[in-house]
Amino acid sequence: DDWPVDYWTLEKYFAENDRMMGVAGLAGDPAVGIVLAAWTTTPFYTEATRAVAEELLASGKAAIFAVLPGAAADGPRAALRELGVPVCETLDDALRMAKALAAAARHALAGADAGTETGEAVRPEGCAISDRPPPGLLTEPAAKALLAGCGIAVTREALAQSPEEAASAAAGIGYPIALKVVSPDILHKSDAGGVALGLDGPDALAVAWTAMAARLAEMAPDAAIDGFLVQEMRGGGLGVGVGGGVELLIGARRDPQFGPIVVFGTGGTLVELLRDVSVAAAPLSAEAAERLIRASRVWPLLAGWRGAPPADLGAVVEALVRISWLAHDLGEALVELEANPLLAEPDGAVVLDARGRIEG
């Protein structure tokens, strides 16, 4: 409902103008800022797609294609990606993209020189990559080290190679603790029986270590085990943590069309169920990060649902901004980096679990 009322469609445009003007004429009109092509099968599908896209690129106007999904459009999609033209598989996604482009253009025109007051992305203090991780899967400790190096809070924890080391680490951290397997071959630790939560003393820890080792030997016999992570126990594991915390997902990845992007939404065990995920280009300003958070379905929980204490919005905003700069700095090396969950509490936000992947 906030689109301009004078937008044009191709049908209306060509009904009122010479059809021979074609795409170049449409894109060349000063009243047109973005051209969205809703594209389906046509004779010489790939060739026609490439020709239209090249005309749009030559016009200098923003262009977006919504292309019919399926194998029939593999050629047109490949042609568009080769030319660097954004392509979506649903008209809804393409309209959202066009709306975001229009909003970004209005924002830039309204205050390109106004600095942080208009939402300029500014690198937070202490947010830099000192040691770029090697290519491959980032286990939980490695991913958390990358996040912590950019100033994002992570849990207190230690990697143990034996039950005795685990007991010593747990005594220093304090009970209750969580015990997790660390392996480059196990992506989902819980599915492999590699997580034990709420261990309240040395005896419980010893029993959990023995049982976990036996489960892993049965369920993942070929997995390389780096050790077991002894971690402070935080959160409830059901979307809402103990002490009023809310479990969130924050992440970053490299999109083949748009480059580094950030991801935000509901985290923990509810991430697959609710599918509450939003994305934005990196790096983010604090204002853009807050807008992303407030637009999510998890926002009512963060704001304090039914008398629960509100979460520390500033801490969540800062974590999202910092991970967006990580995405920016990693650039082409980034495949994905995910903190899930990030526990947002009334007095801060801390990463409970993380993983990632880096390319060479």
Side-chain angles (χ1 to χ4, degrees), residues 99-334:
K99 185 174 180 180
L101 282 173
R106 287 194 298 268
H107 182 76
L109 290 171
D113 299 322
T116 57
E117 293 183 2
T118 62
E120 179 183 341
V122 177
R123 183 186 295 274
E125 183 178 350
C127 185
I129 301 174
S130 55
D131 296 315
R132 185 178 292 267
L137 177 73
L138 297 180
T139 61
E140 181 176 348
K144 283 182 173 177
L146 187 59
L147 295 168
C150 199
I152 300 173
V154 302
T155 47
R156 293 179 295 122
E157 58 198 33
L159 186 64
Q161 304 295 335
S162 67
E164 293 75 21
E165 286 186 13
S168 177
I173 293 170
Y175 290 95
I177 58 99
L179 189 68
K180 303 178 183 179
V181 65
V182 177
S183 169
D185 300 319
I186 300 176
L187 184 61
H188 299 291
K189 297 185 285 288
S190 296
D191 294 347
V195 176
L197 303 177
L199 305 177
D200 57 5
D203 292 341
L205 174 58
V207 170
W209 181 289
T210 301
M212 188 177 296
R215 285 195 304 272
L216 292 168
E218 179 181 351
M219 300 179 69
D222 299 325
I225 306 298
D226 294 342
F228 287 178
L229 196 64
V230 180
Q231 177 185 304
E232 64 174 315
M233 187 67 199
R234 305 274 290 269
L238 293 174
V240 180
V242 296
V246 180
E247 292 185 348
L248 306 171
L249 163 69
I250 66 169
R253 63 189 62 163
R254 185 189 71 245
D255 185 271
Q257 297 184 75
F258 305 107
I261 61 172
V262 291
V263 181
F264 175 81
T266 304
T269 57
L270 300 182
V271 63
E272 290 89 0
L273 175 65
L274 297 183
R275 299 186 182 277
D276 173 30
V277 175
S278 301
V279 300
L284 281 178
S285 67
E287 292 84 354
E290 184 169 337
R291 285 196 299 270
L292 201 66
I293 294 165
R294 288 180 179 272
S296 67
R297 294 171 63 185
V298 76
W299 167 246
L301 289 177
L302 289 171
W305 180 251
R306 293 196 170 183
D312 187 341
L313 176 60
V316 180
V317 166
E318 183 174 356
L320 198 53
V321 169
R322 288 179 180 272
I323 202 171
S324 81
W325 278 99
L326 269 177
H328 172 271
D329 292 347
L330 287 168
E332 291 296 317
L334 173 67

Side-chain angles (χ1 to χ4, degrees), residues 39 49-50 53 65 67 75-87:
W39 219 235
T49 302
R50 183 182 295 276
F65 276 71
V67 178
R77 278 193 294 268
L80 291 168
R81 287 169 178 153
E82 180 183 334
L83 292 169
V85 176
V87 54

Side-chain angles (χ1 to χ4, degrees), residues 5-31:
V5 296
D6 59 345
Y7 68 90
W8 289 350
T9 64
L10 285 172
E11 181 180 3
K12 178 181 177 181
Y13 186 89
F14 288 133
E16 297 176 356
N17 298 274
D18 186 348
R19 288 177 180 268
M20 296 304 293
M21 292 175 64
V23 174
L26 174 63
D29 192 299

